[in-house]
């Protein structure tokens, strides 16, 4: 694996995880982020071509949780609060300050003045409430169509069942002041607002482009007209989206620093090798998701590589709605059949670590003693015999033409895991699905998927951001319905930061690990490759990488 070569490589790794414990602070914010200084010394003129592993699945961040969609919408839309890439603290963005009261049930935000949406609509408290009310009142039909909605995993329920929702209401106090009320305390509320899903859209554009009407299918996903042309307050405007690229251009009326880049082209290359060659040929200026197979080649050619701290988990999903996966012995056999060490050594970048739970090691709530069955193929065979497994066929879904921070080479990872499962007696039927043909929707909805490859990339520094979306409620992805775990996750969200909350999440991690609703495999390192044109790139573990912060050489 050319370990010595890699140790000589100078890489940039953010200090984000070193200060994750600070991320749950509330109250008065710190200084404004450097990307939004409020002044612009020069007019941006540069064109920047960025290689991505796939096209976005839609550009309405309220309806998708796809990382490639978020990469683009972070440039176009902004939320009330941001996250500091070096400390993990919440920072001012569209809100300049905030305070909580009423025992954590009321949050008052003072909004940034003289800000307009890219369509000329004023940004004010009414616009904020229009967005919160839209999310809260998403109709049931829409919720069935769009499987990537974050509102439910964060706020638990919608207006049709308000008694179960954490969100109560949004009130316009004045044009510059907005109040958000909760039905019960939620310790991670401010951190949750840093999710791209809660970026503020122009109410005018939402209405004009019928944002809740998903009457178009693109890249395998149903979407609205708004999802092809979102309108926010961010530094860039969507100026084009065709089969070859998504193009953004600098928004002349942006309230903050516009940076050096006037035009960004996000160009998809579904293979790591083709992304690498495009960089070497000068077709792109940077690309994301360097794989272990191309890492050493880039190092030898002197290419700049920027690594991110690990903030994602790759897992093998298990659907308990498909017999015999409802039997714990069968799920345990699956875990014991998988050689995580070999998978990591062969398919992930150095310093990727094994996972025995779904919360990364540097987050509060990580459990050093979470039960792990380990790699034991002989015991796996014995468990299958004990469970009465008769060779029932298990459909194993995996994505084609995809690279994600948590899943660098899915075809190769599938082949190895499948080989290991067959070796202990499982009857595996491969079901390859192109990522752009609705892979996410197929494996996250109820269906015949018995096993599938996926992962979760954290978006803010709280254990709830991992456990809540994955195991906080019944989901079609896992067929998992442990009401005690659901209740414990719900209870832990309201506990103030400290030892008690940490202990509760540690206990939840142990409960989940013991029942094996999925097999966590790795906490991957991800990396970007940069051309010599780039002086610095704002790498972020939560992928909060706004291109006004990219610095180009003179």
């Amino acid at each position: 694996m050319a370990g010595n070569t890699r140790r000589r490589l100078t890489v940039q790794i953010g200090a984000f995880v070193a200060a994750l414990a600070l991320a749950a602070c509330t109250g008065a914010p710190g200084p404004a982020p450097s990307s939004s200084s409020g002044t612009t010394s020069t007019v941006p003129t540069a064109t920047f071509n960025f290689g991505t592993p796939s096209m976005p699945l839609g550009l309405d961040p309220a309806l998708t949780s796809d990382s490639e969609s978020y990469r683009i919408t972070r440039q176009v839309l902004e939320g009330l609060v941001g996250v500091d890439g070096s400390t993990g603290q919440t920072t001012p963005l569209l809100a300049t300050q905030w305070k909580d009261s009423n025992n954590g049930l009321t949050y008052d935000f003072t909004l940034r003045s003289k800000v307009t949406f890219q369509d000329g609509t004023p940004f004010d408290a009414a616009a904020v409430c229009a967005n919160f009310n839209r999310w809260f009142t998403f109709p049931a039909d829409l919720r069935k169509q769009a499987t990537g909605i974050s509102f439910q995993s964060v706020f638990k329920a919608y207006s049709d069942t308000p008694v179960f929702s954490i969100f109560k209401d949004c009130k316009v106090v004045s044009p510059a002041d907005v109040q958000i009320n909760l039905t019960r305390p939620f310790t991670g509320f401010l951190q949750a607002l840093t999710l791209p899903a809660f970026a503020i859209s122009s109410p005018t554009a939402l209405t004009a482009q019928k944002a809740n009407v998903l009457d178009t299918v693109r890249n395998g996903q149903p979407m609205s007209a708004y999802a092809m042309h979102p309108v926010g307050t961010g530094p860039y405007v969507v100026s084009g989206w065709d089969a070859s690229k998504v193009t953004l251009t600098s928004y002349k009326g942006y309230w903050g620093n516009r940076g050096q880049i006037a035009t960004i082209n996000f160009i998809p290359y579904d293979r790591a090798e083709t992304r690498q060659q495009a960089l070497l040929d000068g077709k792109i200026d940077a690309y994301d998701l360097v794989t272990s197979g191309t890492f050493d080649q880039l190092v030898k050619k002197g290419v700049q590589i920027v690594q991110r701290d690990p903030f994602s988990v790759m897992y093998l999903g298990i659907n308990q709605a498909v017999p015999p996966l409802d039997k714990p012995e069968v799920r345990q056999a699956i875990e014991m059949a998988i050689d995580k060490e070999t998978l990591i050594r062969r398919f992930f970048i150095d310093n990727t670590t094994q996972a025995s739970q779904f919360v990364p090691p540097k987050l509060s709530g990580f459990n050093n003693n979470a039960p792990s069955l380990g790699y034991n193929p002989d015991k796996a065979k014995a468990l299958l015999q004990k469970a009465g497994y008769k060779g029932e066929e298990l459909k194993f879904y995996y994505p084609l033409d995809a690279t994600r921070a948590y899943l660098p080479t899915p075809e190769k990872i599938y082949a190895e895991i499948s080989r290991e499962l067959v070796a202990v007696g499982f009857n595996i039927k491969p079901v390859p699905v192109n990522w752009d043909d609705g892979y996410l929707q197929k494996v996250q909805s109820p269906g015949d998927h018995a096993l599938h490859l996926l992962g979760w990339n954290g978006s803010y520094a709280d254990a709830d951001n991992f456990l809540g979306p994955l195991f906080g409620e019944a989901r079609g992805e896992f067929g998992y319905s442990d009401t005690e775990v659901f209740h414990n996750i719900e209870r832990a969200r309201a506990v103030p930061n400290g030892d008690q909350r940490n202990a509760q999440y540690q206990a939840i991690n142990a409960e989940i690990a013991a029942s094996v609703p999925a097999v966590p495999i790795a906490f991957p390192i991800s990396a970007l490759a940069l051309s010599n044109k780039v002086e610095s790139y704002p790498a972020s573990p939560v992928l909060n990488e706004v291109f006004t912060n990219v610095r180009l050489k003179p």
Side-chain angles (χ1 to χ4, degrees), residues 492-517:
R493 311 173 100 226
V495 177
N497 283 307
D499 291 343
Q500 182 183 357
R501 191 169 192 258
N502 187 43
Q504 288 196 22
Y505 277 116
Q506 288 178 340
I508 293 166
N509 272 325
E511 286 181 275
I512 293 171
S515 65
V516 198

Side-chain angles (χ1 to χ4, degrees), residues 98-138:
W98 51 83
K99 64 179 180 179
D100 66 274
S101 59
N102 191 22
N103 295 317
L105 297 180
T106 297
Y107 287 79
D108 289 283
F109 295 88
T110 300
L111 304 181
R112 196 172 294 277
S113 61
K114 300 178 182 178
V115 174
T116 60
F117 291 98
Q118 295 145 0
D119 62 357
T121 301
F123 167 74
D124 55 19
V128 173
C129 285
N131 278 264
F132 273 90
N133 290 335
R134 177 203 176 203
W135 305 327
F136 186 47
T137 60
F138 275 148

Side-chain angles (χ1 to χ4, degrees), residues 206-449:
L206 289 172
T207 300
Q209 299 184 72
K210 299 180 180 179
N212 287 1
V213 180
L214 311 189
D215 54 2
T216 300
V217 176
R218 189 166 190 170
N219 296 334
Q221 293 291 117
M223 65 180 71
S224 66
Y226 181 78
M228 292 181 279
H229 195 279
V231 179
T233 60
Y236 293 96
V237 176
V238 177
S239 55
W241 182 0
D242 57 30
S244 63
K245 64 183 182 297
V246 177
T247 300
L248 308 184
T249 53
S250 181
Y251 170 41
K252 294 180 180 179
Y254 183 54
W255 59 269
N257 187 347
R258 291 172 63 196
Q260 296 175 269
I261 299 171
T263 303
I264 312 170
N265 293 308
F266 292 99
I267 306 170
Y269 297 87
D270 56 20
R271 299 285 177 180
E273 295 79 9
T274 55
R275 293 196 295 277
Q276 172 185 287
Q277 195 59 48
L279 182 74
L280 297 176
D281 291 344
K283 295 179 180 178
I284 56 176
D285 302 301
Y287 76 85
D288 201 1
L289 304 185
V290 174
T291 61
S292 62
T294 59
F295 195 106
D296 290 339
Q297 299 172 42
L298 291 167
V299 172
K300 290 174 182 177
K301 293 180 182 295
V303 174
Q304 299 182 74
I305 296 179
V306 176
Q307 291 185 210
R308 299 185 186 92
D309 289 314
F311 206 62
S312 64
V313 59
M314 178 255 162
Y315 59 80
L316 173 67
I318 302 174
N319 184 3
Q320 294 181 37
V322 176
L325 299 180
D326 54 337
K327 296 180 179 180
E329 296 89 353
V330 175
R331 300 196 302 276
Q332 290 166 4
I334 291 172
E335 179 177 349
M336 287 188 287
I338 297 174
D339 184 354
K340 298 179 185 179
E341 181 180 351
T342 294
L343 286 166
I344 290 170
R345 186 177 68 251
R346 292 181 59 183
F347 305 121
F348 292 86
I349 292 175
D350 281 1
N351 299 318
T352 292
T353 57
Q354 287 190 39
S356 61
Q357 58 195 286
F358 293 86
V359 174
K362 294 186 179 181
L363 267 187
S364 177
F366 177 81
N367 186 343
N368 287 312
N369 300 311
S372 176
L373 299 175
Y375 175 53
N376 192 332
D378 290 336
K379 192 170 182 180
K381 293 176 183 178
L383 276 174
L384 283 185
Q385 186 174 8
K386 177 183 176 182
Y389 177 66
K390 303 297 184 185
E392 294 94 331
E393 181 180 86
L394 299 176
K395 293 183 178 180
F396 190 158
Y397 281 60
Y398 62 97
L400 299 175
D401 300 331
T403 307
R404 288 296 180 270
Y406 49 75
L407 196 58
T409 52
E411 294 95 339
K412 293 179 180 179
I413 292 172
Y414 160 77
E416 177 61 23
I417 292 177
S418 177
R419 184 194 65 77
E420 293 171 351
L421 293 173
V422 169
V424 301
F426 283 103
N427 178 11
I428 299 298
K429 180 180 180 180
V431 183
V433 179
N434 191 290
W435 183 270
D436 289 342
D437 286 340
Y439 179 78
L440 276 178
Q441 188 156 11
K442 285 180 171 66
V443 301
Q444 291 181 334
S445 303
D448 64 353
H449 53 91

